[in-house]
């Protein structure tokens, strides 16, 4: 089935560690996104990519890094510079076209221990 | 520039009564508008979308929304709420003449009482 796969579903990070969240899509979409969602809050854009080997900062990029080496993959690294990383992370993808629908993965919970 | 405002952070209804979730938008171009639903600890699922065709859009699970350009609104409605409708709902705008990067509203939590 076509869709977006995020892994792991739950991840624990120790202070000072970098962790990487995986996002893979088989929808052949050009654009991919990472959002952060805090409890009871809306979605905030971390990074997005509209084409392979190119990506742009969103509203809250500090403390995060991404890569887009393949069309279907857009991993997010939460670095030790991110001081408050505990949140729900959502990956999404969409075609680059008018009226594009964004499709979401099931999300990943990151908790600092 | 585009923006979207969901006018209520929480809406509480009784099962079997109508649902109204309000959304106003701002856009410099012809907008595409979407409603998504999110159940706890899940990703977002598309309910419906408007892309300059019919102004009354029907979606899944009995939801519909009407695009009103004069009021810059895209309110979500359902004639009769079900317990399973309890979730977070997001209104989203994407400009056709812009970069297609969507802008999300802050969400409306729908509470359904038995």
């Amino acid at each position: 089935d076509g869709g977006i796969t995020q892994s792991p579903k739950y991840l624990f990070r120790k202070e000072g560690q970098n962790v990487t969240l995986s996002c893979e899509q088989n929808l052949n979409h050009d654009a991919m996104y990472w959002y952060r969602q805090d409890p009871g809050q809306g979605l905030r854009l971390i990074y997005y990519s509209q084409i392979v080997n190119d990506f742009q900062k969103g509203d809250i990029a500090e403390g995060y890094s991404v890569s887009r080496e393949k069309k279907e993959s857009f991993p997010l690294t939460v670095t030790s510079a991110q001081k408050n990383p505990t949140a729900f992370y959502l990956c999404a993808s969409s075609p680059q076209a008018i009226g594009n629908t964004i499709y979401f993965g099931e999300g990943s919970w990151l908790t600092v221990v | 520039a585009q923006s979207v405002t969901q006018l209520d952070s929480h809406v509480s209804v009784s099962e079997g009564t109508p649902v109204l979730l309000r959304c106003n938008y701002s856009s410099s171009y012809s907008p595409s508008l979407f409603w998504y639903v999110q159940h706890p600890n899940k990703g977002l699922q598309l309910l419906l979308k408007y892309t300059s065709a019919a102004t009354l859009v029907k979606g899944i699970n009995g939801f519909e929304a009407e695009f009103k350009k004069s009021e810059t609104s895209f309110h979500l409605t359902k004639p009769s709420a079900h317990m399973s409708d309890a979730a977070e709902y997001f209104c989203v705008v994407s400009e056709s003449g812009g970069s297609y990067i969507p802008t999300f509203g802050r969400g409306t939590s729908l509470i359904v009482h038995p």
Side-chain angles (χ1 to χ4, degrees), chain A residues 96-113:
Chain A
Q96 282 288 82
I98 294 173
N100 54 313
T101 298
I102 283 194
Y103 297 86
F104 285 85
E106 287 292 290
S108 294
W109 270 109
L110 174 62
T111 303
V112 174
V113 296

Side-chain angles (χ1 to χ4, degrees), chain A residues 9-10 33 35 37 41-43 45 48 50 88 90 96-107 109, chain B residues 32 34 36 38 41-46 49-51 88 90 92 94 96 99-102 104-107:
Chain A
K9 178 68 176 180
Y10 300 95
Y33 314 82
Y35 291 92
Q37 186 176 30
Q41 303 294 314
L43 278 68
L45 182 63
Y48 65 96
Q50 295 176 297
F88 190 52
L90 286 160
Q96 282 288 82
I98 294 173
N100 54 313
T101 298
I102 283 194
Y103 297 86
F104 285 85
E106 287 292 290
W109 270 109
Chain B
S32 295
F34 310 79
Y36 285 84
Q38 184 184 31
N41 298 324
K42 295 289 188 180
L44 277 69
Q45 180 186 15
L46 179 69
K49 70 176 183 180
Y50 164 80
T51 55
E88 192 81 13
F90 293 94
V92 181
S94 175
S96 61
S99 66
Y100 309 126
I101 304 302
F104 284 76
R106 293 180 64 84

Side-chain angles (χ1 to χ4, degrees), chain A residues 45-109:
Chain A
L45 182 63
I46 304 172
Y47 269 98
Y48 65 96
S49 168
Q50 295 176 297
I51 195 170
V52 175
N53 293 322
D54 187 49
F55 47 83
Q56 306 296 327
K57 292 181 179 180
D59 301 318
I60 56 165
E62 185 175 352
Y64 300 96
S65 66
V66 294
S67 63
R68 187 84 186 277
E69 298 177 0
K70 298 185 297 182
K71 187 175 185 178
E72 58 270 25
S73 179
F74 192 43
L76 173 74
T77 296
V78 184
T79 75
S80 57
Q82 171 51 240
K83 296 307 178 188
N84 185 22
T86 296
F88 190 52
Y89 291 87
L90 286 160
C91 178
S93 71
S94 72
Q96 282 288 82
I98 294 173
N100 54 313
T101 298
I102 283 194
Y103 297 86
F104 285 85
E106 287 292 290
S108 294
W109 270 109

